Amino acid sequence: MTIEDLRRIAKRRTPKAAFDYTDGAADGEVSLARARQGFADVEFHPAILRDVSSVDTRVEVLGETSALPFGIAPTGFTRMMQTEGEVAGVTAAEAAGIPYCLSTMGTTSIEDVAAAAPGARKWFQLYMWKDRDRSMALVDRAAKAGYDTLLVTVDVPVAGARLRDVRNGMTIPPALTPRTVANAIPRPAWWFNFLTTEPLAFASLDAWSGTVAELLDTMFDPTVTYEDLAWIRDQWPGKISVKGVQTVADAVRLADAGVDAIVLSNHGGRQLDRAPVPFHLLPEVVKEVGSQVEVHLDTGIMSGQDIVAAVAHGARFTLVGRAYLYGLMAGGRPGVDRAIEILSGQIERTMRLLGVRSLDELELGHVSALRRLG
Protein backbone atom coordinates (compact mmCIF):
# COMPACT_ATOMS: atom_id res chain seq x y z
CA MET A 1 0.00 0.00 0.00
CA THR A 2 2.96 2.37 0.57
CA ILE A 3 6.56 2.84 -0.51
CA GLU A 4 7.56 1.72 2.98
CA ASP A 5 5.73 -1.56 2.35
CA LEU A 6 7.81 -2.02 -0.81
CA ARG A 7 10.92 -1.24 1.19
CA ARG A 8 10.13 -4.03 3.67
CA ILE A 9 9.60 -6.52 0.85
CA ALA A 10 12.81 -5.36 -0.85
CA LYS A 11 14.78 -5.88 2.35
CA ARG A 12 13.57 -9.47 2.58
CA ARG A 13 14.34 -10.28 -1.05
CA THR A 14 17.65 -8.49 -1.59
CA PRO A 15 21.08 -9.38 -0.17
CA LYS A 16 22.22 -7.05 2.58
CA ALA A 17 25.07 -5.43 0.65
CA ALA A 18 22.89 -4.51 -2.34
CA PHE A 19 19.96 -3.40 -0.18
CA ASP A 20 22.18 -1.27 2.06
CA TYR A 21 23.81 0.35 -0.97
CA THR A 22 20.34 1.56 -1.96
CA ASP A 23 18.95 2.26 1.48
CA GLY A 24 22.01 3.82 3.12
CA ALA A 25 23.52 7.28 3.18
CA ALA A 26 26.78 8.90 4.28
CA ASP A 27 28.40 8.96 7.72
CA GLY A 28 25.67 9.02 10.40
CA GLU A 29 22.91 9.29 7.74
CA VAL A 30 21.74 12.54 9.34
CA SER A 31 21.05 14.32 6.03
CA LEU A 32 18.67 11.61 4.86
CA ALA A 33 16.84 11.46 8.20
CA ARG A 34 16.45 15.25 8.24
CA ALA A 35 15.13 15.30 4.67
CA ARG A 36 12.46 12.75 5.49
CA GLN A 37 11.64 14.50 8.75
CA GLY A 38 11.21 17.76 6.83
CA PHE A 39 8.43 16.19 4.79
CA ALA A 40 6.94 14.48 7.86
CA ASP A 41 6.74 17.88 9.57
CA VAL A 42 4.50 19.30 6.84
CA GLU A 43 1.05 20.39 7.92
CA PHE A 44 -1.49 20.68 5.09
CA HIS A 45 -4.20 23.36 5.00
CA PRO A 46 -7.15 22.11 2.93
CA ALA A 47 -9.83 24.25 1.32
CA ILE A 48 -13.37 22.85 1.51
CA LEU A 49 -16.46 22.82 -0.70
CA ARG A 50 -14.49 22.67 -3.97
CA ASP A 51 -15.40 20.58 -6.99
CA VAL A 52 -12.59 18.03 -7.10
CA SER A 53 -14.42 15.38 -9.11
CA SER A 54 -11.42 15.39 -11.43
CA VAL A 55 -7.81 16.47 -10.92
CA ASP A 56 -5.03 17.13 -13.41
CA THR A 57 -1.57 15.88 -12.39
CA ARG A 58 0.18 16.95 -15.61
CA VAL A 59 3.05 19.41 -15.59
CA GLU A 60 5.21 21.08 -18.24
CA VAL A 61 8.84 20.23 -17.51
CA LEU A 62 11.74 21.33 -19.69
CA GLY A 63 9.53 21.89 -22.69
CA GLU A 64 7.38 18.75 -22.62
CA THR A 65 4.43 17.42 -20.63
CA SER A 66 4.89 14.85 -17.87
CA ALA A 67 1.78 12.98 -16.76
CA LEU A 68 2.91 13.31 -13.14
CA PRO A 69 5.04 15.83 -11.23
CA PHE A 70 7.88 13.35 -10.74
CA GLY A 71 10.34 11.38 -12.80
CA ILE A 72 12.75 8.54 -12.14
CA ALA A 73 16.05 9.78 -10.79
CA PRO A 74 19.42 8.55 -12.05
CA THR A 75 20.67 5.64 -9.96
CA GLY A 76 23.95 3.78 -10.26
CA PHE A 77 24.49 0.01 -10.43
CA THR A 78 20.76 -0.57 -10.81
CA ARG A 79 20.97 -4.13 -12.17
CA MET A 80 22.88 -5.06 -9.03
CA MET A 81 19.73 -4.31 -7.03
CA GLN A 82 17.52 -6.45 -9.31
CA THR A 83 18.50 -7.86 -12.67
CA GLU A 84 15.80 -6.07 -14.70
CA GLY A 85 17.46 -2.82 -13.62
CA GLU A 86 17.33 0.17 -15.91
CA VAL A 87 15.06 -1.55 -18.43
CA ALA A 88 12.40 -2.01 -15.76
CA GLY A 89 12.73 1.66 -14.83
CA VAL A 90 12.58 3.12 -18.33
CA THR A 91 9.73 0.91 -19.53
CA ALA A 92 7.70 1.70 -16.40
CA ALA A 93 8.36 5.41 -16.95
CA GLU A 94 7.28 5.07 -20.59
CA ALA A 95 4.02 3.42 -19.52
CA ALA A 96 3.35 6.12 -16.92
CA GLY A 97 4.23 9.04 -19.21
CA ILE A 98 7.03 10.40 -17.03
CA PRO A 99 10.74 11.09 -17.70
CA TYR A 100 13.44 8.54 -16.96
CA CYS A 101 17.03 9.56 -16.24
CA LEU A 102 19.92 7.15 -16.91
CA SER A 103 22.97 7.46 -14.68
CA THR A 104 26.55 7.62 -15.90
CA MET A 105 27.00 4.73 -13.46
CA GLY A 106 24.02 2.79 -14.79
CA THR A 107 24.42 -0.88 -15.63
CA THR A 108 22.72 -0.86 -19.03
CA SER A 109 24.16 0.97 -22.03
CA ILE A 110 22.84 4.29 -23.26
CA GLU A 111 21.72 2.68 -26.50
CA ASP A 112 20.07 -0.37 -24.90
CA VAL A 113 18.01 1.82 -22.57
CA ALA A 114 16.88 3.90 -25.54
CA ALA A 115 15.94 0.79 -27.51
CA ALA A 116 13.99 -0.71 -24.60
CA ALA A 117 11.55 2.21 -24.47
CA PRO A 118 11.60 4.21 -27.70
CA GLY A 119 8.54 6.21 -26.64
CA ALA A 120 9.89 7.23 -23.24
CA ARG A 121 11.26 10.65 -22.50
CA LYS A 122 14.89 10.02 -21.59
CA TRP A 123 17.41 12.20 -19.79
CA PHE A 124 21.10 11.41 -19.28
CA GLN A 125 22.91 12.16 -16.03
CA LEU A 126 26.55 13.18 -16.45
CA TYR A 127 29.42 13.09 -14.00
CA MET A 128 32.50 14.93 -15.20
CA TRP A 129 35.47 12.60 -15.20
CA LYS A 130 39.16 13.33 -15.11
CA ASP A 131 39.17 12.06 -18.69
CA ARG A 132 37.19 14.87 -20.34
CA ASP A 133 37.16 13.24 -23.77
CA ARG A 134 35.55 10.14 -22.31
CA SER A 135 32.89 12.23 -20.58
CA MET A 136 32.01 14.07 -23.77
CA ALA A 137 31.92 10.82 -25.73
CA LEU A 138 29.05 9.78 -23.43
CA VAL A 139 27.32 13.09 -24.06
CA ASP A 140 27.60 12.54 -27.81
CA ARG A 141 26.22 9.00 -27.50
CA ALA A 142 23.26 10.23 -25.44
CA ALA A 143 22.43 12.95 -27.96
CA LYS A 144 22.56 10.47 -30.86
CA ALA A 145 20.33 8.03 -28.94
CA GLY A 146 17.60 10.64 -28.46
CA TYR A 147 18.09 11.76 -24.86
CA ASP A 148 16.74 15.32 -24.70
CA THR A 149 18.09 16.59 -21.37
CA LEU A 150 21.54 16.45 -19.79
CA LEU A 151 21.46 16.30 -15.99
CA VAL A 152 24.90 17.41 -14.81
CA THR A 153 25.53 16.24 -11.24
CA VAL A 154 27.94 18.50 -9.38
CA ASP A 155 28.02 17.28 -5.76
CA VAL A 156 30.48 14.39 -6.14
CA PRO A 157 34.02 15.83 -6.29
CA VAL A 158 34.88 12.81 -4.13
CA ALA A 159 32.82 9.92 -2.81
CA GLY A 160 30.86 10.35 0.42
CA ALA A 161 31.62 8.12 3.40
CA ARG A 162 28.96 5.45 2.86
CA LEU A 163 29.75 3.41 5.92
CA ARG A 164 27.23 0.64 5.37
CA ASP A 165 29.04 -0.24 2.14
CA VAL A 166 32.39 -0.33 3.91
CA ARG A 167 31.07 -2.53 6.71
CA ASN A 168 29.42 -4.87 4.21
CA GLY A 169 32.55 -5.16 2.11
CA MET A 170 30.48 -3.91 -0.82
CA THR A 171 32.13 -4.40 -4.23
CA ILE A 172 31.02 -3.94 -7.83
CA PRO A 173 29.99 -6.57 -8.81
CA PRO A 174 29.03 -8.31 -5.54
CA ALA A 175 31.51 -11.03 -4.66
CA LEU A 176 30.71 -14.48 -3.33
CA THR A 177 32.37 -14.65 0.09
CA PRO A 178 31.46 -16.74 3.16
CA ARG A 179 29.43 -13.77 4.43
CA THR A 180 27.51 -13.25 1.17
CA VAL A 181 26.88 -16.97 0.77
CA ALA A 182 25.36 -17.08 4.24
CA ASN A 183 23.28 -14.01 3.43
CA ALA A 184 22.13 -15.63 0.17
CA ILE A 185 20.52 -18.67 1.79
CA PRO A 186 17.13 -16.98 2.41
CA ARG A 187 17.36 -15.05 -0.90
CA PRO A 188 18.00 -17.72 -3.56
CA ALA A 189 15.97 -15.99 -6.29
CA TRP A 190 18.19 -12.89 -6.25
CA TRP A 191 21.40 -14.91 -6.44
CA PHE A 192 20.01 -17.24 -9.12
CA ASN A 193 19.10 -14.25 -11.30
CA PHE A 194 22.42 -12.53 -10.61
CA LEU A 195 24.48 -15.61 -11.47
CA THR A 196 22.47 -16.75 -14.52
CA THR A 197 21.66 -13.48 -16.32
CA GLU A 198 23.98 -11.29 -18.35
CA PRO A 199 26.89 -9.95 -16.27
CA LEU A 200 26.70 -6.35 -15.14
CA ALA A 201 27.64 -4.00 -17.96
CA PHE A 202 27.97 -0.28 -17.40
CA ALA A 203 26.53 2.59 -19.35
CA SER A 204 29.89 4.27 -19.37
CA LEU A 205 32.77 1.89 -18.66
CA ASP A 206 33.72 -1.64 -19.48
CA ALA A 207 34.25 -3.20 -16.05
CA TRP A 208 35.35 -2.51 -12.50
CA SER A 209 36.58 -4.68 -9.66
CA GLY A 210 36.64 -2.84 -6.36
CA THR A 211 34.54 -0.75 -4.02
CA VAL A 212 32.13 1.97 -5.05
CA ALA A 213 34.16 4.66 -3.28
CA GLU A 214 37.36 3.56 -5.04
CA LEU A 215 35.59 3.71 -8.39
CA LEU A 216 34.21 7.19 -7.77
CA ASP A 217 37.50 8.58 -6.52
CA THR A 218 39.35 7.06 -9.49
CA MET A 219 36.98 8.49 -12.09
CA PHE A 220 35.51 11.74 -10.83
CA ASP A 221 37.25 15.07 -11.16
CA PRO A 222 37.49 17.34 -8.09
CA THR A 223 38.68 20.27 -10.26
CA VAL A 224 35.35 20.83 -12.10
CA THR A 225 34.26 24.50 -12.08
CA TYR A 226 31.62 26.79 -13.57
CA GLU A 227 33.87 27.16 -16.63
CA ASP A 228 33.59 23.42 -17.26
CA LEU A 229 29.81 23.70 -17.04
CA ALA A 230 29.84 26.44 -19.67
CA TRP A 231 31.99 24.20 -21.88
CA ILE A 232 29.42 21.38 -21.55
CA ARG A 233 26.58 23.80 -22.24
CA ASP A 234 28.19 24.80 -25.54
CA GLN A 235 28.40 21.18 -26.73
CA TRP A 236 25.02 19.78 -25.66
CA PRO A 237 22.16 20.38 -28.13
CA GLY A 238 19.26 19.83 -25.71
CA LYS A 239 18.12 21.07 -22.33
CA ILE A 240 20.58 21.18 -19.45
CA SER A 241 19.85 20.76 -15.74
CA VAL A 242 22.30 20.94 -12.84
CA LYS A 243 21.75 18.54 -9.94
CA GLY A 244 23.23 18.93 -6.48
CA VAL A 245 22.47 22.61 -5.79
CA GLN A 246 22.52 23.30 -2.05
CA THR A 247 22.75 27.08 -1.61
CA VAL A 248 20.78 30.09 -2.83
CA ALA A 249 24.00 31.70 -4.08
CA ASP A 250 24.78 28.77 -6.36
CA ALA A 251 21.19 28.72 -7.61
CA VAL A 252 21.48 32.39 -8.57
CA ARG A 253 24.81 31.86 -10.31
CA LEU A 254 23.47 28.90 -12.30
CA ALA A 255 20.37 30.83 -13.32
CA ASP A 256 22.60 33.65 -14.55
CA ALA A 257 24.67 31.06 -16.45
CA GLY A 258 21.62 30.16 -18.49
CA VAL A 259 20.91 26.57 -17.49
CA ASP A 260 17.35 25.38 -18.04
CA ALA A 261 16.77 23.82 -14.61
CA ILE A 262 18.41 23.23 -11.27
CA VAL A 263 17.78 20.30 -8.95
CA LEU A 264 17.94 21.06 -5.24
CA SER A 265 19.48 17.86 -3.91
CA ASN A 266 21.99 16.62 -1.35
CA HIS A 267 22.37 13.36 -3.30
CA GLY A 268 19.90 11.54 -1.08
CA GLY A 269 22.15 12.20 1.90
CA ARG A 270 24.89 10.10 0.28
CA GLN A 271 27.60 12.75 -0.01
CA LEU A 272 28.02 15.49 2.64
CA ASP A 273 26.24 14.45 5.81
CA ARG A 274 24.37 17.27 7.60
CA ALA A 275 23.99 19.08 4.28
CA PRO A 276 21.03 21.46 3.80
CA VAL A 277 17.58 19.88 3.51
CA PRO A 278 16.48 20.61 -0.10
CA PHE A 279 12.82 20.97 0.89
CA HIS A 280 13.71 23.64 3.44
CA LEU A 281 15.82 25.48 0.86
CA LEU A 282 13.11 25.40 -1.79
CA PRO A 283 10.97 28.51 -1.06
CA GLU A 284 13.92 30.90 -0.90
CA VAL A 285 15.47 29.50 -4.09
CA VAL A 286 12.14 29.76 -5.93
CA LYS A 287 11.78 33.35 -4.73
CA GLU A 288 15.23 34.25 -6.04
CA VAL A 289 15.41 32.38 -9.36
CA GLY A 290 11.99 30.83 -10.04
CA SER A 291 11.24 33.30 -12.82
CA GLN A 292 14.52 32.48 -14.61
CA VAL A 293 14.93 28.74 -14.29
CA GLU A 294 12.90 25.65 -13.44
CA VAL A 295 13.48 24.50 -9.88
CA HIS A 296 13.31 20.74 -9.33
CA LEU A 297 13.85 18.79 -6.11
CA ASP A 298 14.89 15.39 -4.84
CA THR A 299 16.03 13.73 -1.59
CA GLY A 300 13.78 12.17 1.02
CA ILE A 301 10.64 11.63 -1.07
CA MET A 302 8.74 8.57 0.14
CA SER A 303 5.12 9.45 -0.65
CA GLY A 304 2.87 11.38 -2.97
CA GLN A 305 2.15 13.75 -0.09
CA ASP A 306 5.85 14.68 -0.10
CA ILE A 307 5.62 15.49 -3.80
CA VAL A 308 2.49 17.62 -3.35
CA ALA A 309 4.21 19.52 -0.52
CA ALA A 310 7.23 20.15 -2.75
CA VAL A 311 5.07 21.47 -5.58
CA ALA A 312 3.17 23.69 -3.13
CA HIS A 313 6.54 25.05 -1.97
CA GLY A 314 7.35 26.02 -5.54
CA ALA A 315 9.06 23.01 -7.13
CA ARG A 316 8.22 22.57 -10.80
CA PHE A 317 9.17 18.90 -10.68
CA THR A 318 10.61 16.21 -8.43
CA LEU A 319 12.77 13.10 -8.86
CA VAL A 320 12.41 9.84 -6.97
CA GLY A 321 15.32 7.45 -6.48
CA ARG A 322 15.00 5.11 -3.52
CA ALA A 323 11.19 5.08 -3.78
CA TYR A 324 11.27 3.42 -7.20
CA LEU A 325 14.28 1.24 -6.33
CA TYR A 326 12.39 -0.29 -3.41
CA GLY A 327 9.75 -1.30 -5.94
CA LEU A 328 12.39 -2.69 -8.28
CA MET A 329 13.98 -4.79 -5.54
CA ALA A 330 10.56 -5.92 -4.32
CA GLY A 331 9.31 -7.16 -7.67
CA GLY A 332 11.19 -6.08 -10.80
CA ARG A 333 9.19 -4.20 -13.44
CA PRO A 334 5.81 -4.85 -11.71
CA GLY A 335 7.35 -3.46 -8.51
CA VAL A 336 8.40 -0.25 -10.28
CA ASP A 337 4.91 0.02 -11.78
CA ARG A 338 3.47 -0.37 -8.30
CA ALA A 339 5.75 2.31 -6.84
CA ILE A 340 4.63 4.76 -9.53
CA GLU A 341 0.98 3.75 -8.98
CA ILE A 342 1.29 4.31 -5.21
CA LEU A 343 2.82 7.76 -5.64
CA SER A 344 0.32 8.73 -8.34
CA GLY A 345 -2.66 7.66 -6.22
CA GLN A 346 -1.35 9.53 -3.20
CA ILE A 347 -0.82 12.69 -5.26
CA GLU A 348 -4.36 12.61 -6.67
CA ARG A 349 -5.96 11.88 -3.30
CA THR A 350 -3.97 14.60 -1.53
CA MET A 351 -4.89 17.16 -4.19
CA ARG A 352 -8.58 16.32 -3.80
CA LEU A 353 -8.42 16.52 -0.03
CA LEU A 354 -6.66 19.89 -0.30
CA GLY A 355 -9.38 21.16 -2.63
CA VAL A 356 -7.18 21.68 -5.69
CA ARG A 357 -7.83 20.44 -9.20
CA SER A 358 -4.48 21.10 -10.85
CA LEU A 359 -0.87 21.41 -9.76
CA ASP A 360 -0.94 25.11 -10.68
CA GLU A 361 -3.45 25.68 -7.87
CA LEU A 362 -1.01 24.45 -5.22
CA GLU A 363 0.63 27.30 -3.31
CA LEU A 364 2.57 28.04 -0.15
CA GLY A 365 -0.65 28.57 1.78
CA HIS A 366 -1.44 24.88 1.45
CA VAL A 367 1.53 23.82 3.56
CA SER A 368 3.38 24.90 6.68
CA ALA A 369 5.88 23.37 9.06
CA LEU A 370 4.29 21.60 12.00
CA ARG A 371 4.92 23.39 15.28
CA ARG A 372 6.11 20.87 17.82
CA LEU A 373 4.96 21.26 21.39
CA GLY A 374 7.90 21.79 23.76
Side-chain angles (χ1 to χ4, degrees):
M1 301 302 293
T2 68
I3 298 299
E4 183 59 39
D5 289 340
L6 292 176
R7 179 185 177 276
R8 284 190 288 268
I9 298 168
K11 189 173 184 179
R12 291 199 305 268
R13 293 185 173 178
T14 311
K16 181 174 174 56
F19 178 82
D20 278 353
Y21 175 76
T22 306
D23 194 60
D27 293 291
E29 306 192 356
V30 174
S31 288
L32 177 58
R34 286 179 178 172
R36 288 180 174 165
Q37 190 61 53
F39 284 121
D41 283 345
V42 163
E43 183 174 72
F44 285 118
H45 303 288
I48 60 171
L49 298 176
R50 305 289 177 90
D51 179 1
V52 288
S53 54
S54 64
V55 295
D56 186 356
T57 61
R58 293 174 299 173
V59 63
E60 288 291 313
V61 56
L62 293 171
E64 294 188 28
T65 300
S66 173
L68 295 161
F70 68 90
I72 291 184
T75 57
F77 315 117
T78 313
R79 285 189 57 232
M80 177 186 67
M81 300 159 197
Q82 202 273 354
T83 53
E84 296 175 58
E86 288 84 5
V87 169
V90 73
T91 54
E94 179 182 41
I98 63 176
Y100 173 86
C101 189
L102 174 65
S103 170
T104 295
M105 308 311 296
T107 40
T108 305
S109 75
I110 292 168
E111 293 79 10
D112 286 350
V113 167
R121 185 178 187 189
K122 294 171 285 289
W123 301 350
F124 183 69
Q125 178 267 332
L126 177 71
Y127 289 118
M128 280 302 291
W129 294 352
K130 294 172 183 175
D131 185 342
R132 293 289 202 275
D133 290 340
R134 201 170 182 187
S135 293
M136 297 319 292
L138 294 177
V139 170
D140 183 59
R141 284 171 58 191
K144 288 178 178 176
Y147 293 68
D148 66 75
T149 295
L150 191 66
L151 192 68
V152 183
T153 299
V154 295
D155 57 1
V156 189
V158 296
R162 300 171 192 177
L163 301 184
R164 291 203 217 181
D165 296 344
V166 176
R167 290 172 178 137
N168 288 330
M170 171 71 173
T171 62
I172 304 295
L176 280 172
T177 66
R179 179 191 298 180
T180 55
V181 169
N183 188 252
I185 292 171
R187 300 170 178 86
W190 188 97
W191 280 102
F192 178 81
N193 287 335
F194 177 75
L195 294 171
T196 59
T197 56
E198 184 180 350
L200 293 188
F202 295 89
S204 53
L205 70 155
D206 297 327
W208 179 256
S209 179
T211 69
V212 177
E214 288 168 349
L215 175 60
L216 300 189
D217 286 343
T218 297
M219 294 172 57
F220 296 165
D221 189 349
T223 71
V224 174
T225 66
Y226 278 90
E227 286 69 31
D228 293 291
L229 180 64
W231 179 68
I232 296 168
R233 166 78 279 184
D234 289 342
Q235 298 185 69
W236 174 252
K239 302 288 187 179
I240 190 163
S241 178
V242 178
K243 181 175 179 286
V245 181
Q246 298 174 72
T247 68
V248 175
D250 278 330
V252 170
R253 188 166 179 182
L254 288 166
D256 291 342
V259 302
D260 299 292
I262 58 174
V263 184
L264 302 184
S265 168
N266 64 29
H267 214 100
R270 297 164 69 79
Q271 284 300 106
L272 175 66
D273 204 13
R274 310 188 192 206
V277 174
F279 180 64
H280 291 166
L281 191 62
L282 181 58
E284 190 176 357
V285 168
V286 171
K287 180 180 177 182
E288 290 293 327
V289 303
S291 62
Q292 296 175 259
V293 65
E294 291 186 18
V295 181
H296 304 174
L297 178 138
D298 80 0
T299 301
I301 292 172
M302 287 286 284
S303 74
Q305 291 95 326
D306 299 342
I307 294 169
V308 169
V311 174
H313 259 193
R316 172 70 67 87
F317 198 64
T318 62
L319 293 169
V320 298
R322 288 182 181 89
Y324 103 87
L325 291 175
Y326 293 139
L328 176 68
M329 292 186 292
R333 164 67 195 275
V336 180
D337 288 334
R338 181 59 185 151
I340 294 171
E341 184 180 29
I342 288 169
L343 294 172
S344 174
Q346 291 170 337
I347 289 167
E348 290 187 17
R349 183 168 55 252
T350 303
M351 290 173 65
R352 284 192 166 98
L353 291 173
L354 282 174
V356 301
R357 292 164 294 185
S358 70
L359 296 172
D360 289 340
E361 294 181 12
L362 288 167
E363 56 187 28
L364 274 173
H366 286 114
V367 292
S368 63
L370 187 66
R371 291 179 175 85
R372 295 180 178 275
L373 295 176

